Amino acid sequence: MQFGDRLKQQRKIKKLTQDDVAEKLNVSRQTISSWENEKSYPDIKSLISLSDMYDISLDTMLKEDSGMKEFIEKNDLRKNLVGLRCTTYSFNVLIVFLNLISYHHHVFTDKYQIFLLILAISSLWIMNSFNNFTENMGFKKFNIFQEVFHVNKTGEIIFAIVCIPIYLLSLVINNLIPGILVSVFFEILVIIYYFRNK
């Protein structure tokens, strides 16, 4: 028996409505419907609660359903990849910030500035390749603005329109403060994203 059918069957045996189950699990009725129709799957915490509520073992709930097993495996993998995603993004912000410092204070020779520039471009390429790899595996696109602020594509463009000129302002006025503020802002976003998704 498929996972969704098993959920529906056990809910009816317990004489519960989708609203009753949703209220006990603190989710919407639409979420319960989505689980029963296998459009999505519950997280581990909800799965354990369902198992307790319906008095059936997790093993029985999951048996014979490859979709649920695959979902759990992918979810575990996704959580493990969150740290790697955040590290690559944070590293990229750091490299761009080092470029800004070297430009302002001529701390590094021209060779080192070229090296930092190559490192920044390589870091962007690695981050983009990593995002493409995870998307090809079926994970959602890594979009830090949409994840943290729940904005659409337009909101993301507005963030870029605001942040990039502030960062470039550091170059024009020869002052590191705007660049530092943008870099700290991005690092805080990475930390928020990490803790929300880990």
Side-chain angles (χ1 to χ4, degrees), residues 142-156:
F142 178 65
N143 194 317
I144 200 159
F145 290 111
Q146 291 179 6
E147 283 282 326
V148 174
F149 295 110
H150 305 288
V151 296
N152 58 15
K153 191 71 173 168
T154 306
E156 182 184 355

Side-chain angles (χ1 to χ4, degrees), residues 21 29 90 162 165 183:
V21 176
R29 187 205 58 77
S90 187
V162 170
S183 297

Side-chain angles (χ1 to χ4, degrees), residues 9-94:
Q9 178 190 48
Q10 292 300 318
R11 179 176 56 78
K12 288 181 179 178
I13 288 171
K14 293 288 184 178
K15 296 181 179 164
L16 295 169
T17 65
Q18 287 182 344
D19 287 321
D20 295 334
V21 176
E23 186 177 322
K24 289 181 182 184
L25 296 178
N26 292 323
V27 296
S28 68
R29 187 205 58 77
Q30 290 83 359
T31 300
I32 302 299
S33 175
S34 179
W35 293 345
E36 289 182 357
N37 294 315
E38 295 184 28
K39 292 181 181 168
S40 68
Y41 291 99
D43 59 13
I44 297 297
K45 183 180 173 188
S46 298
L47 195 59
I48 292 169
S49 297
L50 286 166
S51 172
D52 292 341
M53 186 184 309
Y54 294 154
D55 296 321
I56 56 173
S57 70
L58 287 172
D59 185 51
T60 304
M61 271 180 120
L62 301 176
K63 243 183 193 156
E64 301 170 11
D65 189 354
S66 59
M68 182 62 181
K69 290 176 189 173
E70 183 180 328
F71 170 78
I72 290 171
E73 289 168 1
K74 270 190 169 182
N75 198 37
D76 288 344
L77 180 60
R78 184 195 63 79
K79 286 187 177 188
N80 290 333
L81 291 176
V82 165
L84 188 56
R85 271 184 166 179
C86 289
T87 302
T88 57
Y89 196 89
S90 187
F91 180 73
N92 197 44
V93 171
L94 180 67

